[in-house]
Amino acid sequence: MLSPVPATSILSFWREAGRDRWFAKDDAFDAELRERFEPTRQAAADGQLDAWSETPEGALALVLLLDQLPRNLFRRSPEAFATDEIARHVASAALERGFDRQVDPVLRPFFFLPFMHSEDLAEQDLCVRLYEAAGDEDGAKWAKMHRDIIARFGRFPHRNPVLGRDTTPEEAEFLAGDGFKG
């Protein structure tokens, strides 16, 4: 395996990419992430970078590698969600240590996103509280939207095809509407 990319390089790249690229479906951006960071993402998934969780920047880089990057690298695949639980564990430990208040405020919300991606209502409620406590109204709006979907369905219906789950008639009606679909 190639040597992992340093945590600071991951954070610099992500910061420079910016909000317009973070959440857009962009094949070129996904390819760039794959080329630059896939071996490091795999090392994180394999537990080889667990020591990074001991610093604010390292923990944030781990969360990006385990929560955000898989969504770009493995779109329309179960692998997009395969390391979500690990990301939530890293984010929880980082939050307990106050690491979210020790990183670039622009990147701080990435400690919250693993909970927004969860299909557990208690974790969704936590996400809403985190955004509200941070005074991030836009983030809180999205967190509430995600939480409301989990409160209604107990899962994200847009993930059903990828995860091989049957879609209920109520979920199909929701997905056919104008609401958030992931």
Side-chain angles (χ1 to χ4, degrees), residues 1-15:
M1 181 192 105
L2 300 171
S3 295
V5 173
T8 54
S9 295
I10 295 164
L11 298 182
S12 293
F13 175 85
W14 200 253
R15 185 181 309 103

Side-chain angles (χ1 to χ4, degrees), residues 7 12 19 30 32 34-35 42-43 47 50 54 59 63 65 73 76 97 104 107 121 128 131 137 159 167 170 173:
S12 293
R19 182 172 296 277
D30 294 353
E32 185 176 3
R34 185 172 293 104
E35 181 180 323
Q42 186 61 53
D50 288 353
E54 296 302 314
V63 169
L65 290 168
L73 302 180
R76 297 169 295 280
R97 296 172 84 174
D104 181 342
L107 299 179
L121 186 56
V128 171
Y131 275 104
E137 291 179 23
R159 292 183 186 175
T167 298
E170 184 182 9
E173 182 179 331

Side-chain angles (χ1 to χ4, degrees), residues 4-128:
V5 173
T8 54
S9 295
I10 295 164
L11 298 182
S12 293
F13 175 85
W14 200 253
R15 185 181 309 103
E16 290 169 21
R19 182 172 296 277
D20 289 342
R21 297 185 81 193
W22 293 339
F23 305 114
K25 293 179 181 168
D26 178 342
D27 292 338
F29 185 56
D30 294 353
E32 185 176 3
L33 289 170
R34 185 172 293 104
E35 181 180 323
R36 293 180 72 154
F37 301 115
E38 169 51 19
T40 304
R41 186 217 56 86
Q42 186 61 53
D46 292 342
Q48 296 172 16
L49 305 178
D50 288 353
W52 285 15
S53 66
E54 296 302 314
T55 68
E57 291 79 14
L60 181 56
L62 278 177
V63 169
L64 288 170
L65 290 168
L66 298 168
D67 182 68
Q68 285 303 125
L69 266 66
R71 284 164 167 74
N72 292 82
L73 302 180
F74 305 115
R75 292 185 192 277
R76 297 169 295 280
S77 164
E79 287 181 273
F81 317 109
T83 53
D84 283 5
E85 186 175 341
I86 303 167
R88 285 192 302 274
H89 174 76
V90 172
S92 289
L95 291 169
E96 286 177 17
R97 296 172 84 174
F99 286 176
D100 59 309
R101 293 181 305 277
Q102 299 176 44
V103 296
D104 181 342
V106 171
L107 299 179
R108 179 183 189 197
F110 287 98
F111 277 125
F112 308 161
L113 282 176
F115 306 105
M116 189 184 295
H117 294 147
S118 174
E119 291 188 322
D120 179 85
L121 186 56
E123 291 176 340
Q124 287 290 328
D125 287 336
L126 170 62
C127 185
V128 171

